[in-house]
Amino acid sequence: MLSVSLTSPLSLLLDLLPPGVCNLLNPAAIYANNEISLGDVEIYGFDYDYTLAQYSNLLHSMIFNTARDILIEQFKYPEGLGKYDYIPGFAIRGLHYDVQKSLLMKIDAFHYVQLGTAYRGLKPVPDEEVIELYGGTQHIPLYQMSDFYGKGPSLKQFMDIFSLPEMTLLSSVIDYFITHGIEFDQVHLYKDISDAIRDVHVKGVMYKWIEKDMEQYILHGDEIYAVLNRLVNHKKKLFLITNSPFSFVDKGMKHMVGKNWRDLFDMVIVQADKPNFFTDRRKPFRKLDDKGSLQWDKINQLEKGKIYKEGCVWLFIFMLNSWLFFHPDLQDLMLRHGWRTGAIVPELETEIRIINTEQYMHSLTWQQALTGLLERMQMYQDAESKQVLLEWMKERQEIRSLTKNLFNPQFGSIFRTFHNPTYFSRRLVRFSDIYMASISCLLNYDVNFTFYPRRTPLQHEAPLWMDQLCTGCMKTPFLEEMVHIR
């Protein structure tokens, strides 16, 4: 029979947590998936939106409101939708949307839906219904996911930061239709909302808002100049590839860096049509003059200091020997082309601050302790022991939900489900050598710094003392006594 001590969980937690365990992680740090030496990098490439230019959350409200009004005025959707406003913090990046089932949900790296994170409209779908919808399982088969990118025939993954208002609008429209008993075609509804969001970008509405009030919309401008200027002073070459038009980029860079911003860059490519830029083999470059007007001459080679439009990576490949490209969208540049890549993940700062809190540390440590107890004590099968095990399982599930809610009440962390990496994390690890909250994190490191990934043990490997110490592992005993080794 299983003997259980009724020791207070709080006192157990205090015993389990080493001194100084909170605040181990630095939100301004750069984290490595792959070993990379900045000293070997001669060329630095940058995306513009959400890489050089970080935007305030007000932009999401404006995108939501404008796309909502397009649906009402141009697509003739019910006027009652006008009562819906943007809900900050409703959705997170990396979610999947099942078009046929009208489900917005979080999927892990193994294609399993995290129960409790499936929403139809603004309301959660019961776990039992989710399992029934997928044939008695939480698993999404590979043929539905289509390929590594999660772009199956009926699944859409929302990867970029601009997708946050799109997910919220999608959920709001579905909520209105369900609440008012209005039947709708799932495919048409999804396409209409995608088109409305696209119009906000393609027709230049968003660009006009930002250009009109850059102080309100653009963040961290002063740090961008410091990063770029430092690289140029160390004889690094810089280029910019963006989907945004030149006039918009020019005004934003003048705001952040100064009127001579182009002197810092060897090359600027605008309206690149990413991600097609990285897969197309034939689209030619077109040249713009200094005012951004289109030129008609044929481009046989790319010249330093010039502005180009469109094109494709295969015509750019001669420069790919030793460069590092920073971008926010986790495109497959590493595996396709062998580029070294740095992912900009603004959410990282908030998530690390949560991870550093005592509440998170206590919840996670107690959850891990309960998991260990369940694993080791499951062989006790008498009636009393079974009851204890059931109580532990219930408590573990409650703590899991509590930990998830610390990050986002609907969907939790963008990096983890309850215990597995998310599909977003899977792409982050595969498609980036390093990742950070903002490009300004580069200022914390020497230009010749080498990033080394943490050696975290595989499931069949025994953890090493030094590995645990260097990675801030919570299971390391005598942390204070051993800290002199670092």
Side-chain angles (χ1 to χ4, degrees):
M1 186 172 72
L2 183 58
S3 175
V4 182
S5 170
L6 298 178
T7 308
S8 163
L10 181 58
S11 63
L12 281 173
L13 287 175
L14 294 175
D15 291 338
L16 289 168
L17 289 175
V21 72
C22 296
N23 298 313
L24 280 175
L25 299 178
N26 183 357
I30 295 176
Y31 297 91
N33 295 320
N34 195 15
E35 185 172 324
I36 179 173
S37 173
L38 296 183
D40 294 334
V41 178
E42 298 175 0
I43 304 169
Y44 282 75
F46 301 92
D47 201 339
Y48 179 72
D49 295 305
Y50 283 107
T51 298
L52 295 179
Q54 295 280 355
Y55 299 114
S56 69
N57 290 331
L58 177 62
L59 184 60
H60 294 161
S61 295
M62 296 293 285
I63 293 172
F64 176 95
N65 292 341
T66 305
R68 177 201 62 202
D69 294 344
I70 290 173
L71 287 176
I72 296 171
E73 295 166 12
Q74 298 181 24
F75 291 80
K76 306 306 178 183
Y77 273 57
E79 292 187 1
L81 287 173
K83 297 179 181 179
Y84 285 80
D85 293 318
Y86 180 65
I87 308 171
F90 171 73
I92 61 172
R93 218 161 28 127
L95 299 179
H96 281 78
Y97 180 69
D98 190 319
V99 177
Q100 299 291 346
K101 298 178 176 62
S102 300
L103 282 185
L104 184 66
M105 55 196 169
K106 189 165 76 170
I107 296 175
D108 72 13
F110 303 97
H111 298 190
Y112 283 87
V113 179
Q114 180 182 358
L115 295 180
T117 68
Y119 276 69
R120 182 177 288 117
L122 298 173
K123 296 180 176 60
V125 178
D127 295 344
E128 298 78 12
E129 183 177 343
V130 173
I131 293 171
E132 183 180 351
L133 284 170
Y134 289 102
T137 178
Q138 300 166 239
H139 188 258
I140 309 292
L142 185 62
Y143 75 88
Q144 289 189 30
M145 301 292 282
S146 179
D147 58 20
F148 186 86
Y149 302 91
K151 298 176 180 177
S154 64
L155 282 178
K156 157 72 176 177
Q157 187 180 22
F158 293 100
M159 283 302 301
D160 65 66
I161 302 174
F162 283 129
S163 66
L164 292 173
E166 181 176 357
M167 287 185 278
T168 308
L169 181 59
L170 192 61
S171 298
S172 297
V173 173
I174 292 172
D175 181 79
Y176 180 88
F177 281 11
I178 291 175
T179 302
H180 291 81
I182 302 173
E183 292 188 9
F184 61 94
D185 183 282
Q186 293 96 330
V187 176
H188 289 319
L189 182 142
Y190 169 72
K191 186 178 185 302
D192 289 346
I193 292 171
S194 296
D195 289 347
I197 291 286
R198 184 199 61 203
D199 285 352
V200 176
H201 295 273
V202 172
K203 294 184 177 180
V205 179
M206 183 188 77
Y207 302 138
K208 292 177 182 177
W209 303 331
I210 297 173
E211 290 174 3
K212 188 175 181 181
D213 195 349
M214 292 189 181
E215 288 289 344
Q216 188 173 21
Y217 286 109
I218 296 181
L219 309 173
H220 312 307
D222 52 340
E223 296 175 345
I224 299 306
Y225 172 76
V227 171
L228 301 178
N229 188 57
R230 181 173 181 240
L231 293 174
V232 170
N233 287 340
H234 284 85
K235 311 303 181 186
K236 306 295 183 181
K237 296 180 180 179
L238 310 184
F239 70 89
L240 175 63
I241 301 180
T242 176
N243 284 348
S244 294
F246 175 73
S247 59
F248 174 70
V249 174
D250 185 49
K251 291 175 183 176
M253 291 300 288
K254 284 177 178 176
H255 171 75
M256 293 186 290
V257 177
K259 63 180 181 179
N260 297 322
W261 70 271
R262 283 181 53 203
D263 294 343
L264 298 170
F265 288 86
D266 288 74
M267 199 175 303
V268 175
I269 301 171
V270 298
Q271 292 176 278
D273 190 29
K274 298 184 279 87
N276 295 330
F277 179 88
F278 301 117
T279 55
D280 196 295
R281 288 176 175 262
R282 292 175 293 181
K283 183 183 288 186
F285 284 99
R286 304 191 69 175
K287 188 189 294 183
L288 305 180
D289 64 18
D290 290 342
K291 295 182 180 179
S293 298
L294 190 63
Q295 305 297 291
W296 302 101
D297 47 321
K298 183 177 180 180
I299 307 302
N300 294 314
Q301 64 178 13
L302 301 178
E303 303 173 46
K304 180 178 179 180
K306 299 298 182 180
I307 310 163
Y308 296 94
K309 174 183 176 181
E310 298 176 343
C312 66
V313 73
W314 298 99
L315 300 177
F316 197 48
I317 203 108
F318 68 93
M319 291 184 63
L320 301 184
N321 292 329
S322 54
W323 79 350
L324 176 61
F325 184 64
F326 292 92
H327 63 121
D329 300 330
L330 303 186
Q331 302 295 337
D332 180 7
L333 311 180
M334 180 195 295
L335 301 183
R336 284 183 184 270
H337 307 297
W339 292 15
R340 310 310 298 268
T341 57
I344 306 302
V345 188
E347 299 95 335
L348 189 63
E349 181 175 358
T350 299
E351 295 233 355
I352 286 177
R353 295 194 187 282
I354 293 170
I355 289 171
N356 282 338
T357 62
E358 286 192 20
Q359 185 179 9
Y360 173 84
M361 291 293 183
H362 288 170
S363 296
L364 182 63
T365 305
W366 188 236
Q367 178 183 316
Q368 292 297 88
L370 284 170
T371 302
L373 286 170
L374 286 167
E375 182 179 31
R376 292 171 186 155
M377 303 303 177
Q378 60 185 304
M379 69 284 297
Y380 295 98
Q381 290 297 308
D382 59 277
E384 188 174 350
S385 296
K386 282 184 177 181
Q387 182 61 36
V388 172
L389 290 169
L390 285 173
E391 290 175 2
W392 283 348
M393 291 175 68
K394 180 181 177 183
E395 184 175 2
R396 177 173 176 261
Q397 187 58 39
E398 290 172 352
I399 296 173
R400 280 175 143 192
S401 297
L402 173 65
T403 306
K404 174 201 126 190
N405 293 343
L406 293 175
F407 296 95
N408 177 282
Q410 291 75 234
F411 302 101
S413 167
I414 71 169
F415 299 104
R416 278 198 178 275
T417 57
F418 289 131
H419 53 279
N420 287 333
T422 58
Y423 205 94
F424 177 92
S425 290
R426 180 186 182 185
R427 290 185 62 163
L428 180 66
V429 171
R430 289 293 300 277
F431 295 164
S432 63
D433 292 283
I434 55 177
Y435 62 99
M436 64 211 77
S438 75
I439 205 72
S440 62
C441 296
L442 284 170
L443 295 173
N444 300 322
Y445 298 86
D446 186 84
V447 292
N448 294 311
F449 190 86
T450 298
F451 293 96
Y452 297 96
R454 297 171 176 176
R455 180 188 166 89
T456 52
L458 299 174
Q459 294 297 314
H460 68 278
E461 295 176 327
L464 301 176
W465 289 108
M466 198 60 194
D467 276 341
Q468 288 185 321
L469 181 62
C470 293
T471 60
C473 180
M474 308 313 157
K475 296 180 180 178
T476 305
F478 317 120
L479 190 63
E480 286 188 332
E481 289 81 349
M482 297 178 67
V483 76
H484 67 279
I485 299 175
R486 301 180 74 166

Coordinates of all heavy atoms in Angstrom, one line a residue, residues 383-422:
A383 N -6.9 -0.5 -3.5 CA -7.9 0.5 -3.6 C -7.5 1.9 -3.0 O -7.7 2.9 -3.6 CB -9.2 0.0 -2.9
E384 N -6.8 1.8 -1.9 CA -6.4 3.1 -1.2 C -5.4 3.8 -2.1 O -5.4 5.0 -2.2 CB -5.9 2.8 0.2 CG -5.7 4.1 1.0 CD -5.3 3.8 2.4 OE1 -5.4 2.6 2.8 OE2 -4.9 4.8 3.1
S385 N -4.4 3.0 -2.6 CA -3.3 3.6 -3.4 C -3.9 4.2 -4.7 O -3.5 5.3 -5.1 CB -2.3 2.6 -3.7 OG -1.6 2.1 -2.5
K386 N -4.8 3.5 -5.3 CA -5.4 4.0 -6.5 C -6.1 5.4 -6.3 O -6.1 6.3 -7.1 CB -6.5 3.0 -7.1 CG -5.9 1.8 -7.8 CD -7.0 0.9 -8.3 CE -6.4 -0.2 -9.1 NZ -7.5 -1.1 -9.7
Q387 N -6.7 5.5 -5.1 CA -7.4 6.8 -4.8 C -6.4 7.9 -4.7 O -6.6 9.0 -5.2 CB -8.2 6.6 -3.5 CG -9.0 7.9 -3.1 CD -10.0 8.3 -4.2 OE1 -10.6 7.4 -4.8 NE2 -10.2 9.6 -4.3
V388 N -5.2 7.6 -4.0 CA -4.2 8.6 -3.9 C -3.6 9.0 -5.3 O -3.4 10.2 -5.6 CB -3.0 8.1 -3.0 CG1 -1.9 9.0 -3.0 CG2 -3.5 7.9 -1.6
L389 N -3.4 8.0 -6.1 CA -2.9 8.3 -7.5 C -3.9 9.1 -8.3 O -3.5 10.1 -9.0 CB -2.6 7.0 -8.2 CG -1.4 6.2 -7.7 CD1 -1.4 4.8 -8.3 CD2 -0.1 6.9 -8.0
L390 N -5.2 8.9 -8.1 CA -6.2 9.7 -8.8 C -6.2 11.1 -8.3 O -6.3 12.1 -9.1 CB -7.6 9.1 -8.6 CG -7.9 7.8 -9.4 CD1 -9.2 7.2 -9.0 CD2 -7.9 8.1 -10.9
E391 N -6.0 11.3 -7.0 CA -5.9 12.7 -6.5 C -4.7 13.4 -7.0 O -4.7 14.6 -7.3 CB -5.9 12.6 -5.0 CG -7.2 12.1 -4.4 CD -7.2 11.9 -2.9 OE1 -6.1 12.2 -2.3 OE2 -8.2 11.5 -2.3
W392 N -3.6 12.7 -7.1 CA -2.3 13.3 -7.6 C -2.5 13.7 -9.1 O -2.1 14.7 -9.5 CB -1.2 12.3 -7.5 CG -0.6 12.2 -6.1 CD1 -0.9 13.0 -5.1 CD2 0.3 11.2 -5.7 NE1 -0.1 12.6 -4.0 CE2 0.6 11.5 -4.3 CE3 0.9 10.1 -6.3 CZ2 1.5 10.8 -3.5 CZ3 1.8 9.4 -5.5 CH2 2.1 9.7 -4.1
M393 N -3.2 12.8 -9.9 CA -3.4 13.1 -11.3 C -4.3 14.3 -11.4 O -4.1 15.2 -12.3 CB -4.0 11.9 -12.0 CG -3.1 10.7 -12.1 SD -3.9 9.2 -12.8 CE -4.3 9.8 -14.5
K394 N -5.3 14.4 -10.6 CA -6.2 15.6 -10.6 C -5.5 16.8 -10.3 O -5.6 17.9 -10.9 CB -7.4 15.4 -9.7 CG -8.4 16.5 -9.6 CD -9.5 16.3 -8.6 CE -10.4 17.5 -8.6 NZ -11.5 17.3 -7.5
E395 N -4.6 16.8 -9.2 CA -3.9 17.9 -8.8 C -2.9 18.4 -9.9 O -2.7 19.5 -10.2 CB -3.1 17.7 -7.5 CG -2.4 18.9 -7.0 CD -1.8 18.6 -5.6 OE1 -1.9 17.5 -5.1 OE2 -1.1 19.6 -5.1
R396 N -2.2 17.3 -10.5 CA -1.3 17.6 -11.6 C -2.0 18.4 -12.8 O -1.4 19.3 -13.3 CB -0.7 16.3 -12.1 CG 0.3 16.5 -13.3 CD 1.0 15.1 -13.5 NE 1.9 15.2 -14.7 CZ 1.5 14.7 -15.9 NH1 0.3 14.2 -16.1 NH2 2.4 14.7 -16.9
Q397 N -3.2 17.9 -13.1 CA -3.9 18.6 -14.2 C -4.3 20.0 -13.8 O -4.2 20.9 -14.7 CB -5.1 17.8 -14.6 CG -5.9 18.3 -15.8 CD -5.0 18.3 -17.0 OE1 -4.2 17.4 -17.3 NE2 -5.2 19.3 -17.8
E398 N -4.7 20.2 -12.6 CA -5.0 21.6 -12.1 C -3.8 22.5 -12.2 O -3.9 23.6 -12.6 CB -5.5 21.5 -10.7 CG -6.9 20.8 -10.6 CD -7.4 20.6 -9.1 OE1 -6.5 20.8 -8.2 OE2 -8.5 20.2 -8.9
I399 N -2.6 22.0 -11.8 CA -1.4 22.8 -11.8 C -1.0 23.1 -13.3 O -0.5 24.2 -13.6 CB -0.3 22.1 -11.0 CG1 -0.6 22.0 -9.6 CG2 1.0 22.9 -11.2 CD1 0.3 21.2 -8.7
R400 N -1.2 22.1 -14.1 CA -0.9 22.3 -15.6 C -1.7 23.5 -16.1 O -1.2 24.3 -16.8 CB -1.2 21.1 -16.3 CG -0.1 20.0 -16.3 CD -0.6 18.7 -17.0 NE 0.5 18.1 -17.7 CZ 0.3 17.1 -18.6 NH1 -0.9 16.7 -18.9 NH2 1.3 16.5 -19.2
S401 N -3.0 23.5 -15.8 CA -3.9 24.5 -16.3 C -3.5 25.9 -15.7 O -3.5 26.9 -16.4 CB -5.3 24.2 -15.9 OG -5.7 23.0 -16.6
L402 N -3.1 25.9 -14.4 CA -2.7 27.1 -13.8 C -1.4 27.6 -14.4 O -1.3 28.9 -14.7 CB -2.4 26.8 -12.3 CG -1.8 28.0 -11.5 CD1 -2.8 29.1 -11.4 CD2 -1.4 27.5 -10.1
T403 N -0.5 26.8 -14.7 CA 0.8 27.2 -15.4 C 0.5 27.7 -16.8 O 1.1 28.7 -17.2 CB 1.8 26.0 -15.4 OG1 1.9 25.4 -14.1 CG2 3.1 26.5 -16.0
K404 N -0.4 27.1 -17.5 CA -0.8 27.5 -18.8 C -1.4 28.9 -18.8 O -1.0 29.8 -19.6 CB -1.8 26.6 -19.5 CG -2.3 27.0 -20.8 CD -3.7 26.3 -21.1 CE -4.7 27.3 -21.4 NZ -6.1 26.8 -21.5
N405 N -2.2 29.2 -17.8 CA -2.9 30.5 -17.7 C -2.0 31.6 -17.4 O -2.4 32.8 -17.6 CB -4.0 30.4 -16.7 CG -5.2 29.5 -17.1 OD1 -5.3 29.1 -18.3 ND2 -6.0 29.0 -16.2
L406 N -0.8 31.3 -16.8 CA 0.1 32.4 -16.5 C 0.6 33.1 -17.8 O 0.9 34.3 -17.8 CB 1.3 31.8 -15.8 CG 1.1 31.3 -14.4 CD1 2.4 30.7 -13.8 CD2 0.7 32.4 -13.4
F407 N 0.6 32.4 -18.9 CA 1.1 32.9 -20.1 C -0.1 33.5 -20.9 O 0.0 34.6 -21.4 CB 1.8 31.9 -21.0 CG 3.0 31.3 -20.3 CD1 3.0 30.2 -19.6 CD2 4.2 32.0 -20.5 CE1 4.1 29.7 -18.9 CE2 5.4 31.5 -19.9 CZ 5.3 30.4 -19.1
N408 N -1.2 32.7 -21.1 CA -2.3 33.2 -21.9 C -3.5 32.3 -21.4 O -3.4 31.1 -21.5 CB -2.1 33.1 -23.4 CG -3.3 33.5 -24.2 OD1 -4.2 32.7 -24.3 ND2 -3.3 34.7 -24.8
P409 N -4.6 32.9 -20.9 CA -5.7 32.0 -20.4 C -6.3 31.1 -21.5 O -6.8 30.0 -21.1 CB -6.7 33.1 -20.0 CG -6.0 34.3 -19.8 CD -4.8 34.3 -20.8
Q410 N -6.3 31.5 -22.7 CA -6.9 30.7 -23.8 C -5.9 29.6 -24.3 O -6.2 28.4 -24.4 CB -7.3 31.5 -25.0 CG -8.5 32.4 -24.7 CD -8.1 33.6 -23.9 OE1 -8.7 33.9 -22.8 NE2 -7.1 34.4 -24.3
F411 N -4.7 30.0 -24.6 CA -3.8 29.1 -25.3 C -2.4 28.9 -24.7 O -1.7 28.0 -25.2 CB -3.6 29.7 -26.8 CG -4.8 29.9 -27.5 CD1 -5.4 31.1 -27.7 CD2 -5.4 28.8 -28.1 CE1 -6.6 31.3 -28.4 CE2 -6.6 28.9 -28.8 CZ -7.2 30.2 -29.0
G412 N -2.1 29.5 -23.6 CA -0.9 29.3 -22.9 C 0.3 29.9 -23.6 O 0.3 30.9 -24.3
S413 N 1.5 29.2 -23.4 CA 2.8 29.7 -23.9 C 2.9 29.4 -25.4 O 2.3 28.4 -25.9 CB 3.9 29.0 -23.2 OG 5.1 29.2 -23.9
I414 N 3.6 30.3 -26.2 CA 3.8 30.0 -27.6 C 4.8 28.9 -27.8 O 4.9 28.3 -28.9 CB 4.1 31.2 -28.4 CG1 5.6 31.7 -28.1 CG2 3.2 32.3 -28.2 CD1 6.1 32.8 -29.1
F415 N 5.6 28.6 -26.7 CA 6.7 27.7 -26.9 C 6.4 26.2 -26.4 O 7.0 25.3 -26.9 CB 7.9 28.2 -26.1 CG 8.4 29.5 -26.5 CD1 8.2 30.7 -25.8 CD2 9.2 29.6 -27.7 CE1 8.6 31.9 -26.2 CE2 9.6 30.8 -28.1 CZ 9.4 32.0 -27.4
R416 N 5.4 26.1 -25.5 CA 5.1 24.8 -25.0 C 3.6 24.5 -24.9 O 2.8 25.4 -24.7 CB 5.7 24.6 -23.6 CG 7.2 24.3 -23.6 CD 7.6 23.7 -22.2 NE 9.0 23.3 -22.2 CZ 9.5 22.1 -22.6 NH1 8.6 21.2 -23.1 NH2 10.8 21.9 -22.6
T417 N 3.3 23.2 -25.1 CA 2.0 22.7 -24.6 C 2.2 22.4 -23.1 O 3.1 23.0 -22.5 CB 1.5 21.5 -25.4 OG1 2.5 20.5 -25.3 CG2 1.3 21.9 -26.9
F418 N 1.5 21.4 -22.6 CA 1.7 21.2 -21.2 C 3.1 20.7 -20.9 O 3.7 21.1 -19.9 CB 0.7 20.1 -20.7 CG -0.7 20.6 -20.6 CD1 -1.8 19.9 -21.1 CD2 -1.0 21.8 -19.9 CE1 -3.1 20.4 -21.0 CE2 -2.3 22.3 -19.8 CZ -3.3 21.6 -20.4
H419 N 3.7 19.8 -21.8 CA 5.0 19.3 -21.6 C 5.8 19.3 -22.9 O 7.1 19.3 -22.8 CB 5.0 17.9 -20.9 CG 4.1 16.9 -21.7 ND1 2.8 16.9 -21.5 CD2 4.4 16.0 -22.6 CE1 2.3 15.9 -22.3 NE2 3.3 15.4 -22.9
N420 N 5.2 19.2 -24.0 CA 5.9 19.1 -25.3 C 6.2 20.5 -25.9 O 5.4 21.5 -25.6 CB 5.1 18.3 -26.3 CG 5.1 16.8 -26.0 OD1 6.0 16.3 -25.4 ND2 4.1 16.1 -26.4
P421 N 7.2 20.6 -26.7 CA 7.3 21.8 -27.5 C 6.1 22.0 -28.4 O 5.5 21.0 -28.9 CB 8.6 21.6 -28.3 CG 9.3 20.5 -27.7 CD 8.2 19.6 -27.0
T422 N 5.7 23.3 -28.7 CA 4.7 23.5 -29.7 C 5.2 23.4 -31.1 O 6.4 23.2 -31.4 CB 4.1 25.0 -29.5 OG1 5.2 25.9 -29.7 CG2 3.5 25.2 -28.1

